[in-house]
Amino acid sequence: MSNIDMIRAAAARLDGYARRTPLLSSPLLDRIAGRRVWVKPECLQHTGSFKYRGGYAAVSALDAATRARGVLAYSSGNHAQGVALAAAQHGVPSVIIMPADAPAMKIANTRALGAEVVLYDRAGGQSREDLGSALENERGLTLIRPFDEPQVIAGQGTTGLEIAEDAAALGLGRADVLVCCGGGGLTSGIALALEADGPGLRARPCEPEGFDDTARSLSAGAIRRNAQTSGGLCDAIITPQPGDITFPIMQRLCGPGLVVSDNEALRAMALAWGRLKLVAEPGGAVALAAALFRADQIEGEDVIVVISGGNVDAQIFQRALTHLGDLT
């Protein structure tokens, strides 16, 4: 199980490798939200998302002999790229299982980072877990899971250490910290870090409509599964259900989940670009969408938002920018 000591150890290993992303603000976003909005742009992280933190933390934690045999991951794109870069930086092979319907840019970027990409038919019901098990056994690879992995959670938790430190410097004693949530690795890691270093800050998971398994699970007090597991606009954070490791952490430490529409995610992407000059992907923008368009479900004068990723295909980004003329 991940804990604050593991997060601090991951931070030490990531020092000099991960980018420390700042907290950004815009008076125009504040006006829309009705409170001060502080944006942590993990879209500026290496590989374009927070996933690099967890990928590097997990690869660097392996003993040298295990690491040398190579690593395996499955992902729709952001975890894939994070693990691929971390493996390349350690000089070891990586095999990444990706859905054939993942964004083309994410597949191309993963290959460009030196990984062997194996595509599978997600829409047709092919199991990435079964494919991964076969590759593990055949090649002696070590699987690095996308969220239900203690060292991955620890790496993602370094985001929370930075949030706590920067919030303290800004004098933010109390605030909701809105986090784009799929399986819960980032959300649970941030929640653990805030428990230790920012007890007045509360993590809250944010999800798209139709894929709000975490919000429903927190409300029910037990894990709930999504009816569908593919086909949504916010591919980066679509998972079947919260993780067995991540859910108890979120249940203990997080506030209620927030749910936004795909159209609101697109509007948030346009605002991130128009007001902060940040490129966010749909799944990476849902927390900002929640801050802007679910303001009645948030308390306090300040809200902190994590833009978790910016790996978006051009046509989707162009679709988002069509909203620019409607924004005030």
Side-chain angles (χ1 to χ4, degrees):
M1 202 70 159
S2 301
N3 56 49
I4 189 60
D5 292 332
M6 289 177 65
I7 294 172
R8 297 198 198 285
R13 296 196 305 279
L14 279 160
D15 186 36
Y17 293 93
R19 291 174 178 150
R20 179 173 181 131
T21 54
L23 290 182
L24 304 177
S25 63
S26 160
L28 296 171
L29 295 182
D30 295 349
R31 187 174 69 187
I32 295 170
R35 55 173 53 85
R36 289 185 293 269
V37 179
W38 304 92
V39 175
K40 187 165 182 64
E42 280 294 293
C43 49
L44 301 180
Q45 190 54 257
H46 295 301
T47 72
S49 89
F50 75 96
K51 289 287 192 176
Y52 172 75
R53 296 175 184 265
Y56 190 93
V59 173
S60 63
L62 297 172
D63 66 78
T66 301
R67 188 165 56 229
R69 290 194 295 270
V71 295
L72 170 72
Y74 38 74
S75 165
S76 65
N78 286 339
H79 180 61
Q81 292 173 80
V83 171
L85 178 56
Q89 290 173 324
H90 285 86
V92 301
S94 61
V95 179
I96 312 295
I97 301 171
M98 302 183 70
D101 61 345
M105 186 181 73
K106 293 183 178 182
I107 296 173
N109 286 351
T110 304
R111 286 182 171 136
L113 289 167
E116 176 188 345
V117 174
V118 177
L119 300 177
Y120 76 100
D121 184 8
R122 172 171 60 179
Q126 187 178 9
S127 169
R128 67 182 188 180
E129 289 81 6
D130 291 346
L131 185 55
S133 294
L135 287 169
E136 275 187 273
N137 296 330
E138 177 185 333
R139 305 193 193 183
L141 304 170
T142 297
L143 174 64
I144 298 177
R145 293 175 179 84
F147 53 85
D148 231 18
E149 186 80 56
Q151 288 293 353
V152 168
I153 295 169
Q156 320 305 25
T158 64
T159 315
L161 296 180
E162 294 175 10
I163 289 172
E165 184 175 347
D166 289 348
L170 290 166
L172 305 180
R174 303 194 69 84
D176 280 349
V177 178
L178 309 190
V179 188
C180 306
C181 186
L186 179 62
T187 309
S188 60
I190 287 176
L192 287 168
L194 297 181
E195 178 186 32
D197 286 8
L201 306 177
R202 179 179 65 162
R204 296 186 65 182
C206 302
E207 299 168 292
E209 290 176 350
F211 301 94
D212 58 342
D213 47 292
T214 296
R216 290 185 291 106
S217 297
L218 290 174
S219 179
I223 289 178
R224 295 290 183 261
R225 189 176 177 87
N226 286 323
Q228 62 185 88
T229 57
S230 65
L233 180 69
C234 301
D235 67 284
I237 57 172
I238 290 176
T239 54
Q241 63 187 51
D244 293 333
I245 297 175
T246 61
F247 179 67
I249 299 170
M250 294 189 289
Q251 188 176 31
R252 182 171 69 85
L253 296 176
C254 291
L258 296 160
V259 183
V260 302
S261 69
D262 283 352
N263 191 58
E264 287 167 334
L266 290 168
R267 292 173 63 198
M269 290 170 64
L271 281 162
W273 168 250
R275 305 311 184 220
L276 295 171
K277 296 301 176 281
L278 295 174
V279 175
E281 63 192 281
V286 296
L288 179 59
L292 299 176
F293 309 126
R294 296 291 182 272
D296 60 332
Q297 299 177 37
I298 302 167
E299 298 179 356
E301 297 180 351
D302 296 272
V303 63
I304 299 171
V305 170
V306 180
I307 293 182
S308 57
N311 293 311
V312 56
D313 281 350
Q315 64 269 29
I316 298 296
F317 192 58
Q318 289 168 350
R319 179 179 166 191
L321 293 185
T322 62
H323 292 273
L324 275 175
D326 303 328
L327 302 175
T328 59

